[in-house]
Amino acid sequence: MKRLLAAAALSTALVALPLTAQAAPVAYKLDPAHTAVVFVVDHLGFSKAVGRFNTVAGELSFDKDAAEKSALTVSIDTASVDTNHAKRDEHLKSPDFFNVKEFPKLTFKSTKIEKTGDKTGKLHGDLTLLGVTKPVILDVTFNKDGVSPASKLETVGFSARGTIKRSDFGMKYGVPNVGDDIQLIIESEAVKG
């Protein structure tokens, strides 16, 4: 009788195993209407110039219960740079800065995610700018997930902050008068599917 009960318990445990396994990461696409990639750079010590990229696309594989299993890829059209000043934007598109004819995209691909708190983490990845790839670390906050009341779609939201040195990527024009350290501010929503 004990053997029969043990066998029954074992078969019940084996049947239940798939139900208790962790869920796989869920695929999301960045929502371009609710994603902002903003940069801030010192301008001659007088002020900080602020700009953004208007064309951003990306895919997120997100596991809420095991953030370290998540992954992100982002592609940004460099010609979409926008500082609200047409003459400066044209200069930023030139070979002095983004060289958009030769390098129309800048990309980011995550390599590791470290959880640092209940809703915070460090996103490690490779940033490719002007054909140069360098590691970058962003501090990320997971804001919220659920069905958006606006779009009625499954949505996740994140905020990220970080700093890069543009000269590390070969963008040296104006350094040090125009700052080398570029502060990145990223706000993003991604929708399931």
Side-chain angles (χ1 to χ4, degrees):
M1 184 68 163
K2 283 184 181 178
R3 284 185 182 177
L4 186 57
L5 286 174
L10 179 62
S11 63
T12 301
L14 289 174
V15 168
L17 236 155
L19 299 175
T20 59
Q22 284 187 334
V26 177
Y28 292 86
K29 289 191 183 284
L30 295 187
D31 177 357
H34 298 100
T35 296
V37 177
V38 177
F39 58 88
V40 181
V41 59
D42 181 74
H43 183 255
L44 307 172
F46 292 110
S47 67
K48 305 284 188 198
V50 179
R52 63 172 286 150
F53 293 97
N54 293 327
T55 306
V56 179
E59 295 180 358
L60 170 67
S61 174
F62 181 59
D63 189 329
K64 183 178 176 182
D65 298 320
E68 67 280 357
K69 293 182 180 177
S70 302
L72 173 69
T73 59
V74 177
S75 177
I76 296 173
D77 290 349
T78 54
S80 73
V81 66
D82 181 357
T83 64
N84 197 33
H85 188 274
K87 188 174 179 181
R88 179 173 49 222
D89 292 346
E90 283 309 309
H91 190 200
L92 287 172
K93 294 174 189 180
S94 79
D96 287 341
F97 291 100
F98 289 103
N99 195 3
V100 301
K101 286 185 180 172
E102 190 173 344
F103 302 103
K105 302 272 186 201
L106 70 87
T107 61
F108 177 85
K109 183 173 180 168
S110 66
T111 56
K112 179 172 107 173
I113 297 171
E114 294 177 73
K115 195 169 179 179
T116 59
D118 204 30
K119 291 190 163 206
T120 60
K122 292 201 175 286
L123 175 62
H124 298 251
D126 290 329
L127 177 66
T128 301
L129 170 62
L130 296 172
V132 177
T133 302
K134 296 280 183 182
V136 170
I137 301 172
L138 300 173
D139 293 314
V140 178
T141 300
F142 167 62
N143 297 323
K144 184 177 178 179
D145 68 327
V147 176
S148 167
S151 67
K152 310 295 187 228
L153 299 172
E154 284 286 334
T155 303
V156 292
F158 296 90
S159 299
R161 304 290 185 268
T163 302
I164 63 168
K165 282 197 175 300
R166 63 186 178 97
S167 62
D168 287 348
F169 298 88
M171 189 185 291
K172 297 178 182 177
Y173 181 89
V175 173
N177 295 321
V178 176
D180 193 15
D181 290 341
I182 307 297
Q183 180 186 358
L184 301 174
I185 301 168
I186 301 161
E187 295 292 332
S188 185
E189 294 179 21
V191 294
K192 188 175 176 181

